[in-house]
Amino acid sequence: MGFIDIGAGFSLFNYQLYFFIFAPILHPGMTFLEEIKRRRTFAIIAHPDAGKTTLTEKLLLFGGAIQTAGAVKSNKIKKATTSDFMEIEKQRGISVSTSVMAFDYRNYKVNILDTPGHEDFAEDTYRTLSAVDSVIMVIDCVKGVEPQTRKLLEVCRMRNTPVIVFINKMDREGQNPFDLLDEIEKELKIKVRPLTWPIGIGKSFKGVYNLTAKSLNLFQGDSKTTVEETLTINDINDKQIDQRVGVDFAAQLREDVDLIDGVYDTLNTQKYLDGQISPVFFGSAVNNFGIHELLDCFVEIAPGPKERDTDKGLVKPDDKKFSGFIFKIHANLDPKHRDRIAFLRICSGTFERNKYYHHVRDNKELRFSNPTAFMAQQKSVIDEAYPGDVIGLYDAGNFKIGDTLTEGNDFQFKGIPSFSPELFRYVNNMDPMKTKQLQKGLEQLTDEGVAQLFTRKVDGRKVIGTVGALQFEVIQHRLKAEYNASASFDQVSLYKALWISCDDRKKMEAFMQDRSAHIALDKENRPVFLAESAWLLQMAQEKFPEIQFHLKSEF
Ligand code: G4P
């Protein structure tokens, strides 16, 4: 068992956005339990362009974490073609700087985990969602439910993640709110409960009625200057409403409010926490409207750090012994420095700088002299961190996605599976003098989760699997730039890669023998069936009913 000291002597990342300062992230005088209770770790999910970046920025503004709009850069590859490497590099750089954004709001410590906007990076998003305790889902009121919204919500449902819905762009001519909520309930198969209700929409958007506080938030101004005014009213029949929004809109509001209680269940907090009902807010992120109610409700009802499942049972956040897992690894942008940053979600106990922790997969003890926290755009070396926090650990290649760190215990966190890729390519080595470099590059890039690597049993050929075509470009480019290796790819027509299992070892062997041309091993040496078509998969399932085929590596 080796002891490794990570951090000393490492080049620190040279991202200009960061300022290095040594600072504790604790509140003086708070107990361990209070620190846990005040943490809110979540992600904002949305179909690209719905307003995720804008909402993130407005939340940071409200939290006092940034002072000016425009400070948070969109992390999407907006107009990039697949060969626009500058854009890919930019994307990588930006996604590091916005990977975690933390700020204090009221007495809460809010940790926002960013998810990539581009759908080719969907796996990254799935993994990030394993590290949050809840999500805010942004929906564009004009476009309604979009494909990415659907996919992301499926992942949330798999884990029963609590979801708050923010309906954005109410200053645009969108759909009728009842129709929109109906679409959300049907398409996403979730129940919703509005907590605010819009008055008008688009050009005639007047504001929202707060159904809980029974107050009116008025929207005034143009696209450049927006004034949000809160009006306290006696009840829904208060004449002030007519005066401020006009008789017709006031009448419509009263009619809508009458309907709401009949149409939607009341908000039961436990049901929200179990992922069964989602509170809904309406607003306009770019106009700074409706964000306050959203944030206030979020910190109050969103869950703090939850217990987490491991292969040896549940780990509670208030367990005294530290534990956490790596859900994201980011390579240094500077090819001269091969160090990486691994993002660790703390699940229990207190993480301390310079203390040795147990790397379960490698059975190694590691310690970290420069663990970093991300307060808005300030990166600071921290001495301690608590459950719910996400910290960055400098890494010279020790970590893989999904790795567990503990204070000596031997368990592995579950819930960070690999999913069957959608696209597959054979890798060809274009420079036989650089075979080692290519191997190392492929190993490390797949450790980072850029793609999955399978090795065919019959001939040892390497197959790379990804979710999107963009990854192949990224891999080829990074192999050259960072490892000086040249690779080309050959198309492989595969339908899915499925992990296989069977209680009967002999039957498993018989299957692998029979289908040897279609068996590969993943990086953990787990057997995988490479199905060329849905039909061939079905044939295999019918002929070998004892074999179980899994679309994810955890089953
Ligand atoms: P994303 O991260 O979900 O992809 O979306 P992002 O926040 O980048 O927003 C996408 C576009 O929608 C941006 O415009 C943004 O300004 C606009 N937007 C966000 N919230 C609102 C809103 O409440 N109302 C209206 N009308 N627009 C909104 P863009 O033209 O693509 O970019 P830019 O103008 O910010 O450069």
Side-chain angles (χ1 to χ4, degrees):
M1 200 190 293
F3 285 82
I4 298 184
D5 198 345
I6 310 279
F10 271 92
S11 65
L12 296 178
F13 283 24
N14 55 352
Y15 302 127
Q16 292 141 357
L17 283 170
Y18 295 155
F19 308 92
F20 274 82
I21 47 169
F22 280 77
I25 57 167
L26 319 180
H27 267 200
M30 268 200 197
T31 65
F32 173 55
L33 288 181
E34 283 166 342
E35 287 288 3
I36 298 174
K37 255 179 88 178
R38 76 186 193 96
R39 273 156 172 82
R40 298 285 179 271
T41 304
F42 78 108
I44 302 178
I45 56 172
H47 187 90
D49 263 353
K52 180 169 70 77
T53 313
T54 314
L55 178 63
T56 306
E57 178 167 283
K58 301 300 170 170
L59 292 174
L60 291 174
L61 277 169
F62 269 103
I66 53 173
Q67 269 66 48
T68 50
V72 179
K73 296 281 172 283
S74 169
N75 74 0
K76 62 196 155 190
I77 308 171
K78 252 189 175 167
K79 294 166 189 87
T81 62
T82 49
S83 53
D84 192 345
F85 296 122
M86 280 317 288
E87 279 305 320
I88 294 170
E89 290 300 291
K90 246 193 262 164
Q91 150 93 18
R92 292 178 50 219
I94 291 164
S95 69
V96 167
S97 62
T98 59
S99 281
V100 191
M101 287 159 284
F103 62 90
D104 282 305
Y105 180 72
R106 293 173 25 195
N107 203 24
Y108 296 93
K109 160 99 188 285
V110 180
N111 295 314
I112 309 181
L113 272 53
D114 193 30
T115 53
H118 199 286
E119 63 175 330
D120 282 9
F121 290 85
E123 276 235 34
D124 251 7
T125 302
Y126 297 149
R127 286 189 292 255
T128 299
L129 292 181
S130 73
V132 302
D133 299 303
S134 69
V135 304
I136 292 181
M137 178 171 73
V138 184
I139 288 186
D140 179 333
C141 72
V142 183
K143 295 188 175 148
V145 174
E146 296 178 84
Q148 280 288 95
T149 338
R150 231 170 265 129
K151 281 196 196 161
L152 290 162
L153 211 83
E154 261 169 42
V155 182
C156 294
R157 265 204 312 272
M158 257 162 47
R159 303 195 172 105
N160 297 327
T161 310
V163 179
I164 293 181
V165 179
F166 182 72
I167 304 214
N168 192 27
K169 307 197 185 180
M170 291 304 292
D171 58 319
R172 291 226 177 128
E173 305 301 327
Q175 303 176 37
N176 169 294
F178 283 110
D179 292 345
L180 200 54
L181 295 189
D182 200 36
E183 181 181 321
I184 293 172
E185 287 201 322
K186 286 210 178 98
E187 295 236 3
L188 302 180
K189 298 180 189 68
I190 49 167
K191 281 204 157 303
V192 296
R193 167 73 204 191
L195 294 187
T196 61
W197 194 256
I199 306 164
I201 196 161
K203 283 200 184 74
S204 57
F205 181 53
K206 305 281 177 210
V208 294
Y209 175 66
N210 188 324
L211 289 149
T212 329
K214 308 219 182 311
S215 59
L216 214 55
N217 274 37
L218 297 170
F219 176 77
Q220 292 158 335
D222 51 40
S223 59
K224 290 189 190 69
T225 50
T226 307
V227 184
E228 184 175 0
E229 182 194 348
T230 306
L231 187 71
T232 311
I233 47 176
N234 296 326
D235 58 43
I236 190 76
N237 295 316
D238 195 321
K239 282 283 167 256
Q240 282 191 87
I241 305 179
D242 304 66
Q243 285 156 16
R244 299 302 296 268
V245 305
V247 178
D248 292 346
F249 282 110
Q252 184 66 49
L253 174 68
R254 289 183 189 113
E255 208 176 288
D256 288 354
V257 170
D258 262 356
L259 264 176
I260 286 169
D261 278 340
V263 176
Y264 307 102
D265 289 351
T266 51
L267 185 72
N268 173 315
T269 312
Q270 192 52 49
K271 281 195 174 163
Y272 155 71
L273 293 174
D274 293 340
Q276 290 172 18
I277 191 162
S278 292
V280 180
F281 292 86
F282 291 84
S284 170
V286 82
N287 290 303
N288 238 344
F289 190 84
I291 315 287
H292 225 261
E293 292 87 349
L294 174 72
L295 186 56
D296 278 335
C297 172
F298 167 77
V299 291
E300 267 159 36
I301 71 165
K306 287 197 259 192
E307 55 190 21
R308 305 237 151 202
D309 205 7
T310 76
D311 58 353
K312 308 263 166 67
L314 288 175
V315 167
K316 294 205 176 96
D318 56 357
D319 285 354
K320 286 281 170 336
K321 282 192 164 180
F322 157 78
S323 67
F325 65 87
I326 305 290
F327 64 93
K328 179 175 179 141
I329 295 176
H330 217 291
N332 196 339
L333 282 180
D334 181 350
K336 285 193 222 81
H337 302 291
R338 199 58 72 64
D339 52 341
R340 310 186 289 184
I341 192 160
F343 291 86
L344 175 100
R345 149 88 199 211
I346 298 170
C347 301
S348 68
T350 306
F351 175 93
E352 289 175 50
R353 187 160 76 91
N354 277 330
K355 192 167 170 178
Y356 277 103
Y357 290 118
H358 184 55
H359 183 301
V360 178
R361 182 177 53 83
D362 276 354
N363 192 24
K364 263 199 286 211
E365 306 306 305
L366 305 176
R367 81 178 181 148
F368 306 90
S369 51
N370 287 317
T372 50
F374 309 82
M375 286 300 281
Q377 270 144 9
Q378 279 210 336
K379 189 170 165 192
S380 50
V381 174
I382 45 106
D383 287 322
E384 286 182 314
Y386 288 103
D389 285 338
V390 169
I391 55 173
L393 303 174
Y394 290 98
D395 173 40
N398 285 299
F399 288 124
K400 276 186 191 180
I401 301 258
D403 276 352
T404 297
L405 267 189
T406 69
E407 209 171 324
N409 298 40
D410 256 321
F411 58 73
Q412 285 274 6
F413 280 101
K414 297 210 285 197
I416 316 121
S418 301
F419 293 86
S420 173
E422 308 275 324
L423 302 170
F424 300 86
R425 304 270 194 278
Y426 280 130
V427 188
N428 298 319
N429 183 3
M430 300 302 283
D431 183 352
M433 304 294 284
K434 299 276 161 46
T435 306
K436 269 198 177 151
Q437 283 89 331
L438 179 65
Q439 254 165 11
K440 188 168 179 193
L442 285 175
E443 281 293 318
Q444 293 204 342
L445 293 182
T446 47
D447 278 357
E448 280 176 32
V450 180
Q452 290 182 60
L453 187 63
F454 303 101
T455 310
R456 272 167 49 118
K457 277 201 86 166
V458 273
D459 53 11
R461 275 196 96 174
K462 305 262 187 238
V463 179
I464 290 189
T466 67
V467 178
L470 198 50
Q471 262 93 337
F472 292 110
E473 306 286 333
V474 174
I475 292 167
Q476 206 168 30
H477 173 67
R478 287 188 59 191
L479 282 172
K480 188 82 207 147
E482 294 167 36
Y483 299 88
N484 196 21
S486 299
S488 70
F489 300 114
D490 283 345
Q491 193 92 20
V492 194
S493 169
L494 287 178
Y495 162 64
K496 290 265 166 358
L498 300 115
W499 284 267
I500 44 177
S501 65
C502 182
D503 294 337
D504 186 329
R505 198 168 55 86
K506 284 221 168 93
K507 284 189 172 144
M508 183 76 158
E509 277 167 12
F511 173 73
M512 287 177 52
Q513 190 69 35
D514 192 86
R515 298 290 149 113
S516 59
H518 303 277
I519 302 295
L521 297 177
D522 73 1
K523 283 185 79 182
E524 263 57 63
N525 281 330
R526 291 173 294 209
V528 171
F529 178 65
L530 303 177
E532 280 166 1
S533 66
W535 184 75
L536 283 171
L537 171 62
Q538 198 188 333
M539 297 286 285
Q541 283 168 319
E542 280 169 13
K543 190 167 171 202
F544 297 91
E546 307 82 6
I547 306 292
Q548 283 170 339
F549 297 82
H550 311 273
L551 279 166
K552 38 184 188 144
S553 61
E554 230 173 55
F555 38 85

